[in-house]
Short mmCIF file of all heavy atoms in Angstrom, two decimals:
data_model
loop_
_atom_site.label_atom_id
_atom_site.label_comp_id
_atom_site.label_asym_id
_atom_site.label_seq_id
_atom_site.Cartn_x
_atom_site.Cartn_y
_atom_site.Cartn_z
N HIS A 6 114.54 91.88 96.63
CA HIS A 6 113.13 91.77 96.28
C HIS A 6 112.39 93.15 96.36
O HIS A 6 111.65 93.48 95.47
CB HIS A 6 112.39 90.77 97.20
CG HIS A 6 112.64 89.35 96.88
ND1 HIS A 6 112.25 88.83 95.58
CD2 HIS A 6 113.03 88.31 97.48
CE1 HIS A 6 112.51 87.53 95.54
NE2 HIS A 6 113.04 87.17 96.65
N ASP A 42 107.41 85.11 100.67
CA ASP A 42 108.33 84.47 101.63
C ASP A 42 107.71 84.37 103.02
O ASP A 42 108.43 83.92 103.92
CB ASP A 42 109.68 85.19 101.70
CG ASP A 42 110.59 84.76 100.62
OD1 ASP A 42 110.27 83.63 99.89
OD2 ASP A 42 111.71 85.26 100.33
N HIS A 67 108.89 75.79 102.20
CA HIS A 67 109.29 77.08 101.65
C HIS A 67 109.29 76.96 100.10
O HIS A 67 109.61 75.88 99.60
CB HIS A 67 110.72 77.38 102.14
CG HIS A 67 111.19 78.65 101.60
ND1 HIS A 67 110.40 79.78 101.47
CD2 HIS A 67 112.45 79.05 101.16
CE1 HIS A 67 111.17 80.77 100.94
NE2 HIS A 67 112.42 80.29 100.77
N ARG A 68 108.80 78.04 99.47
CA ARG A 68 108.78 78.14 97.99
C ARG A 68 107.77 76.99 97.55
O ARG A 68 108.01 76.20 96.58
CB ARG A 68 110.06 77.90 97.32
CG ARG A 68 111.02 79.06 97.62
CD ARG A 68 112.26 78.98 96.74
NE ARG A 68 113.01 80.27 96.83
CZ ARG A 68 114.01 80.48 96.13
NH1 ARG A 68 114.44 79.73 95.16
NH2 ARG A 68 114.78 81.55 96.35
N HIS A 72 104.70 80.73 96.08
CA HIS A 72 105.47 81.10 94.96
C HIS A 72 104.89 80.66 93.61
O HIS A 72 105.57 80.32 92.64
CB HIS A 72 106.92 80.53 95.09
CG HIS A 72 107.71 81.28 96.10
ND1 HIS A 72 107.36 81.17 97.51
CD2 HIS A 72 108.83 82.01 96.10
CE1 HIS A 72 108.24 81.87 98.22
NE2 HIS A 72 109.08 82.38 97.37
N HIS A 105 108.40 89.13 92.98
CA HIS A 105 109.12 88.25 93.93
C HIS A 105 109.30 86.86 93.15
O HIS A 105 110.35 86.28 93.19
CB HIS A 105 108.30 87.96 95.19
CG HIS A 105 108.99 87.07 96.16
ND1 HIS A 105 109.62 87.51 97.28
CD2 HIS A 105 109.26 85.72 96.19
CE1 HIS A 105 110.13 86.52 97.94
NE2 HIS A 105 109.90 85.44 97.24
N ASP A 109 112.82 85.13 92.27
CA ASP A 109 113.30 83.77 92.59
C ASP A 109 113.43 82.81 91.46
O ASP A 109 114.31 81.88 91.44
CB ASP A 109 112.23 83.12 93.58
CG ASP A 109 112.40 83.68 95.03
OD1 ASP A 109 113.38 84.43 95.22
OD2 ASP A 109 111.54 83.38 95.86
ZN1 LIG B 1 110.93 83.54 97.77
#
Side-chain angles (χ1 to χ4, degrees):
H6 277 303
D42 277 349
H67 181 41
R68 293 190 173 188
H72 288 65
H105 182 108
D109 280 353

